[in-house]
Amino acid sequence: MATTWEPGSWRSKPGLQMATWEDSELAKNVLTKLGQLPPLVQPAEAENLKAMLAAAGRGEKFIIQGGDCAERFLDCNQVRLEKQVKLIMQMGMIFEHVTGKPPVCIARIAGQYGKPRSKPTEMVEGYGEIMSFKGENINGFAPADRKWDPERLLQGYWHSAATLNFMRGFLQHADGTVTSAIDVNPLKASTEFEDLKQKAQDISAKFSGRATAPVFTSHEAMQLDLEEVLTRGVADKFYNLGAHLVWIGDRTRQIDGAHVEYFRGIANPVGVKVGPSMKNNELQELLQILNPNKEEGKVMIITRYGAEKVEDMLPGHIEAVKATGIPVVWQCDAVHGNGIVAQSNKYKTRRVEDIWCEIVKCIGVHKQCGTFLGGIHLEFTGEETVTECLGGSVGLTEEMLTSNYETLCDPRLNYAQAIETAFKVAAAVN
């Protein structure tokens, strides 16, 4: 691999999952404009996150990362954003209260507008074969809006900027009595409800007067022409200043591919999704490319096996990483390996209990191997009435999925399911 690097080095490598633009001149103008706009985050913030991730890798903190599968432009409004930020803050409060470990809160927000898809096209009744929806940065969800449009990249920037502007103000001036008020009433069917209710009261009393913890931003860096123009030189380093943390998806982590080439050059902390197809030696080679200087907090391995495969896959990956001597932060993505299709209505969904099972199994394997699970990575929404994932104490059934299924891509835990998950994970870690 070449030793020199610049933000556009990825262009010499084969790239997957990226949109190409029919109007190349328009795309050039859009990307030029984006390259002139101010950064969305600051390098010092990314370095601060890196230090926190290093602590999580040592077992001193715990990462709560999550949010929408694919953000929608229409959700860039005060009510929705406040609910989303409050939820991830509350999940962090739960974890700290139960375990004593401070949380590192990272939202899939302010840029999670692009999505990889298993197929570039799909058949839609009345429209025939059309482009698959790849996130609102690329095209619209409505069948008539599926053409890849580079001007959407600018819309993504403005919505990200507005989201970050709201988040910074909210986090600085939020009323602690409001942000710490955890609603466990939807969990009344739980056999542990009285304990959950008491813990929620204790958390409110403990955190209502505290300074607000930071919430960092993250997204999958899939569309590399966009990521390139959001990458800025700072002293002798380059940072992607479109987010504090970016990750490589399981579909774009090829050793000789464009995404790994891009990621090896940025100073941000980075994540890598690791699924069952990742070979041990491939993981070792990937780490040597992404973190040759063995920097703590630099690389987060985000395992996404599915509950039934954790015990078969994770031990080998842990031992392979140990052999490199490269420090990593281990995180469990407990959603992407547990997707199912509801038999009664063909809706994509997940069982909350499968999500809990994968996390608990990851915790157990890490304990056996003498390593730390540094955090969890989930898809959730602060909306109370969303009906996309099955189970939990709210008892969401297949028949209920149709009530309020909002997601443009993969199903998310609703507020109550996410809160219950935080309690379950904290108890397992504790």
Side-chain angles (χ1 to χ4, degrees):
M1 178 167 290
T3 56
T4 58
W5 185 92
E6 57 184 24
S9 295
W10 62 271
R11 294 178 180 275
S12 65
K13 303 284 185 175
L16 300 179
Q17 292 291 338
M18 289 183 280
T20 54
W21 312 113
E22 185 177 304
D23 189 335
S24 58
E25 190 63 26
L26 176 60
K28 179 182 176 181
N29 292 338
V30 166
L31 292 166
T32 298
K33 175 64 175 177
L34 284 164
Q36 295 167 345
L37 290 169
L40 294 171
V41 303
Q42 295 297 314
E45 295 170 337
E47 290 295 335
N48 184 25
L49 174 57
K50 194 186 297 179
M52 291 186 180
L53 294 179
R58 298 190 297 266
E60 299 162 10
K61 294 179 183 287
F62 195 84
I63 303 153
I64 308 291
Q65 183 174 5
D68 293 314
C69 173
E71 285 182 276
R72 305 185 302 179
F73 290 161
L74 66 85
D75 290 333
C76 184
N77 66 68
Q78 178 179 348
V79 173
R80 288 266 180 167
L81 293 175
E82 188 170 314
K83 286 183 177 181
Q84 196 76 322
V85 175
K86 278 171 55 180
L87 172 56
I88 198 166
M89 291 169 64
Q90 290 177 357
M91 293 175 74
M93 292 174 195
I94 290 168
F95 197 88
E96 182 171 359
H97 176 72
V98 174
T99 69
K101 289 186 180 183
V104 182
C105 294
I106 309 172
R108 294 170 59 110
I109 204 167
Q112 183 56 16
Y113 293 120
K115 289 295 299 179
R117 302 311 298 263
S118 55
K119 296 178 182 178
T121 61
E122 63 177 332
M123 297 299 295
V124 175
E125 187 176 350
Y127 291 88
E129 186 174 17
I130 61 174
M131 303 305 295
S132 297
F133 174 65
K134 285 183 67 67
E136 293 210 307
N137 255 359
I138 308 299
N139 56 0
F141 185 73
D145 294 332
R146 292 296 178 86
K147 182 180 178 180
W148 293 347
D149 179 4
E151 289 190 296
R152 282 181 167 270
L153 299 176
L154 273 172
Q155 293 184 52
Y157 175 92
W158 302 129
H159 283 87
S160 297
T163 297
L164 270 161
N165 181 63
F166 171 81
M167 286 176 62
R168 293 186 193 280
F170 179 75
L171 291 169
Q172 185 174 357
H173 300 290
D175 182 345
T177 59
V178 174
T179 56
S180 63
I182 298 170
D183 182 9
V184 296
N185 287 319
L187 305 179
K188 286 181 179 177
S190 170
T191 57
E192 302 168 348
F193 176 69
E194 291 303 321
D195 181 57
L196 297 177
K197 185 177 177 181
Q198 184 60 53
K199 282 187 170 71
Q201 292 172 354
D202 294 342
I203 288 167
S204 182
K206 178 189 292 187
F207 289 92
S208 60
R210 279 203 197 179
T212 305
V215 177
F216 297 95
T217 65
S218 66
H219 65 259
E220 178 176 353
M222 181 189 72
Q223 190 67 29
L224 293 181
D225 52 3
L226 171 64
E227 306 301 337
E228 177 184 339
V229 296
L230 295 176
T231 303
R232 312 290 166 85
V234 181
D236 60 343
K237 297 179 180 179
F238 285 95
Y239 290 86
N240 182 320
L241 298 182
H244 299 112
L245 177 144
V246 288
W247 73 85
I248 309 176
D250 198 38
R251 294 186 178 102
T252 53
R253 55 170 174 75
Q254 295 77 20
I255 294 295
D256 294 322
H259 289 80
V260 170
E261 171 61 22
Y262 170 76
F263 271 74
R264 78 177 182 93
I266 57 175
N268 303 60
V270 300
V272 182
K273 292 287 188 85
V274 172
S277 64
M278 175 72 87
K279 296 179 175 60
N280 292 343
N281 62 339
E282 185 183 12
L283 178 56
Q284 291 175 325
E285 189 175 356
L286 188 57
L287 287 177
Q288 288 159 358
I289 293 168
L290 295 177
N291 195 13
N293 298 324
K294 299 184 177 181
E295 183 181 5
E296 272 195 292
K298 170 63 182 177
V299 175
M300 181 161 64
I301 296 178
I302 311 167
T303 60
R304 42 153 295 173
Y305 305 121
E308 297 304 313
K309 297 180 181 178
V310 171
E311 291 161 336
D312 292 333
M313 301 300 306
L314 183 55
H317 284 158
I318 290 174
E319 294 307 317
V321 171
K322 282 183 180 180
T324 67
I326 296 173
V328 302
V329 184
W330 290 97
Q331 189 187 50
C332 172
D333 170 351
V335 291
H336 285 97
N338 291 308
I340 59 172
V341 176
Q343 293 302 306
S344 61
N345 51 34
K346 306 304 179 185
Y347 276 54
K348 287 199 303 183
T349 189
R350 294 159 173 154
R351 295 188 183 92
V352 176
E353 290 75 13
D354 291 340
I355 293 169
W356 296 345
C357 181
E358 178 155 3
I359 296 169
V360 169
K361 284 183 177 181
C362 277
I363 292 167
V365 170
H366 280 290
K367 285 180 179 178
Q368 292 169 8
C369 293
T371 48
F372 296 103
L373 178 64
I376 55 174
H377 188 127
L378 304 172
E379 291 178 342
F380 53 66
T381 173
E383 295 298 312
E384 300 88 346
T385 60
V386 158
T387 55
E388 296 171 2
C389 288
L390 303 174
S393 293
V394 294
L396 210 150
T397 64
E398 284 192 7
E399 291 71 29
M400 296 164 68
L401 290 175
T402 59
S403 300
N404 191 20
Y405 193 97
E406 289 186 349
T407 182
L408 297 184
C409 198
D410 290 339
R412 305 158 297 169
L413 303 173
N414 63 24
Y415 174 85
Q417 291 169 326
I419 289 295
E420 188 170 18
T421 297
F423 278 115
K424 293 281 187 184
V425 174
V429 169
N430 203 37

